[in-house]
Amino acid sequence: MTKAFALLFLGLLAFSCSQQSTRPAAVAFHNINSKFNAIWQADRLYQELEKKAWEERKENYANTLSILPPIDSTFGQAHQQEITNLIRKASLVINRHQNSRYIDDAYLLIGHGRFLLGDLKNAVETYKYINSIEPDQDTQIQALIRLYQIYTYQKDFENAEKVEEFIKEAPLNNGQKTEFLRSKAFYHQEKGEIVLAIALLEEVAPSLGSRYERARTFYLLGQLFQDQGKYSLAKANFEKSRQIKSNYDLQLHAQIAQQKLIGDESALEKMLKEPKNEDKKSEIYMALG
């Protein structure tokens, strides 16, 4: 009899935890397992990979920077195992917790993983799918912004503009507004509409959360103003970038650009003598020239 009751109890437990069940206990079980297990692990992997993508990126300061850094396929190759693990973790929610409310979050992380791999075709399909499953508003906005960015990378401006209309109708929080305006600045840069790009960058630069991203954006503003012959504004933005002190390589290039505009040869010559600038001498000599 005891054995029969034990089997009955296990059967009821299995039923209540079924991913097809709509019972409150089952839904709660799958929500908890989704959020605090698979989603938490996948999101942590994504945050780590995003940080590495910024840290490992090699900028070409000789050219005007892109507002959103170019998609680096070598990063996806170098970190393929980690990205695959991110996608696998997120997929567990879809495979095992169909009745949880984190299905849309799982697809968002899968889309991010495919984006990091450089698999833009499947990333686009994933972000588009999210909008067909009645997602959480925050998740939907994140998917739309990334979709907007990808279309801009691909210079598919017609589809980018269609996505932009959806984003404009959504209630954006401060972080989402900043990311959207930066993405819109990138859109205008890719179309060669530099004045519009500058106006948007000036608005969002102080709001960027990462010190490196703020410093990089001010450096880019310096480049854009310099390209337009607005040298006082260029110098001011190079100085802002330099003062943030987020990354020595970026700080050094901001200083080189600033001193070149000022025409301060003595400052550049002093930089040549500093041992830490040994591998940057060619760039300093170019500025002197």
Side-chain angles (χ1 to χ4, degrees), residues 259-274:
Q259 300 304 338
K260 183 180 178 182
L261 280 174
I262 295 171
D264 191 341
E265 292 185 17
S266 61
L268 290 167
E269 287 169 354
K270 183 180 178 181
M271 291 169 66
L272 281 171
K273 296 174 183 178
E274 295 179 13

Side-chain angles (χ1 to χ4, degrees), residues 66-112:
S66 173
I67 293 171
L68 294 184
I71 294 170
D72 185 2
S73 59
T74 60
F75 179 84
Q77 294 167 6
H79 296 278
Q80 185 171 9
Q81 185 175 348
E82 297 159 85
I83 299 171
T84 301
N85 192 33
L86 154 65
I87 294 172
R88 183 183 65 81
K89 292 284 185 184
S91 297
L92 289 175
V93 177
I94 298 164
N95 295 331
R96 299 181 183 179
H97 307 291
Q98 275 290 327
N99 58 349
S100 84
R101 61 187 180 90
Y102 296 102
I103 294 293
D104 54 348
D105 298 86
Y107 277 112
L108 183 69
L109 286 163
I110 290 169
H112 290 344

Side-chain angles (χ1 to χ4, degrees), residues 215-274:
R216 183 184 185 276
T217 301
F218 282 122
Y219 180 87
L220 172 54
L221 277 166
Q223 289 184 311
L224 294 174
F225 279 125
Q226 184 176 355
D227 291 343
Q228 293 196 325
K230 298 179 179 179
Y231 300 121
S232 61
L233 289 170
K235 284 185 287 186
N237 279 280
F238 287 137
E239 175 63 14
K240 287 179 183 178
S241 176
R242 189 176 67 82
Q243 287 181 342
I244 292 174
K245 298 181 180 179
S246 66
N247 170 291
Y248 182 73
D249 194 43
L250 177 56
Q251 186 183 356
L252 176 67
H253 281 89
Q255 188 176 3
I256 291 171
Q258 186 183 28
Q259 300 304 338
K260 183 180 178 182
L261 280 174
I262 295 171
D264 191 341
E265 292 185 17
S266 61
L268 290 167
E269 287 169 354
K270 183 180 178 181
M271 291 169 66
L272 281 171
K273 296 174 183 178
E274 295 179 13

Side-chain angles (χ1 to χ4, degrees), residues 41-221:
Q41 292 180 39
D43 186 61
R44 187 177 66 171
L45 282 169
Y46 174 62
Q47 298 302 327
E48 290 172 355
L49 285 162
E50 276 278 277
K51 184 179 178 182
K52 286 179 182 179
W54 279 105
E55 292 173 345
E56 296 175 14
R57 182 172 289 108
K58 301 297 182 184
E59 301 279 15
N60 182 1
Y61 294 102
N63 296 326
T64 301
L65 300 180
S66 173
I67 293 171
L68 294 184
I71 294 170
D72 185 2
S73 59
T74 60
F75 179 84
Q77 294 167 6
H79 296 278
Q80 185 171 9
Q81 185 175 348
E82 297 159 85
I83 299 171
T84 301
N85 192 33
L86 154 65
I87 294 172
R88 183 183 65 81
K89 292 284 185 184
S91 297
L92 289 175
V93 177
I94 298 164
N95 295 331
R96 299 181 183 179
H97 307 291
Q98 275 290 327
N99 58 349
S100 84
R101 61 187 180 90
Y102 296 102
I103 294 293
D104 54 348
D105 298 86
Y107 277 112
L108 183 69
L109 286 163
I110 290 169
H112 290 344
R114 289 170 172 170
F115 178 80
L116 289 172
L117 282 173
D119 182 6
L120 298 188
K121 179 180 178 181
N122 284 310
V124 165
E125 292 305 313
T126 305
Y127 292 129
K128 287 169 67 176
Y129 179 72
I130 289 169
N131 288 283
S132 72
I133 58 173
E134 298 184 3
D136 173 82
Q137 188 174 79
D138 182 67
T139 304
Q140 182 181 36
I141 291 168
Q142 291 183 63
L144 286 170
I145 291 174
R146 183 51 61 83
L147 196 57
Y148 180 61
Q149 292 173 348
I150 293 175
Y151 283 138
T152 304
Y153 274 118
Q154 296 175 327
K155 299 189 185 300
D156 184 352
F157 301 122
E158 183 178 351
N159 274 319
E161 288 160 10
K162 290 177 182 176
V163 175
E164 181 181 342
E165 291 305 311
F166 286 105
I167 298 172
K168 285 179 176 178
E169 293 175 4
L172 307 181
N173 61 36
N174 289 336
Q176 291 164 346
K177 182 180 178 182
T178 296
E179 188 60 20
F180 169 58
L181 292 178
R182 181 166 66 160
S183 303
K184 188 167 174 58
F186 175 57
Y187 164 86
H188 288 300
Q189 184 186 33
E190 290 297 287
K191 291 190 75 176
E193 299 167 347
I194 304 304
V195 173
L196 292 173
I198 288 174
L200 289 165
L201 279 187
E202 287 188 297
E203 181 177 350
V204 304
S207 304
L208 294 172
S210 160
R211 288 170 64 87
Y212 175 74
E213 290 181 61
R214 286 201 307 277
R216 183 184 185 276
T217 301
F218 282 122
Y219 180 87
L220 172 54
L221 277 166

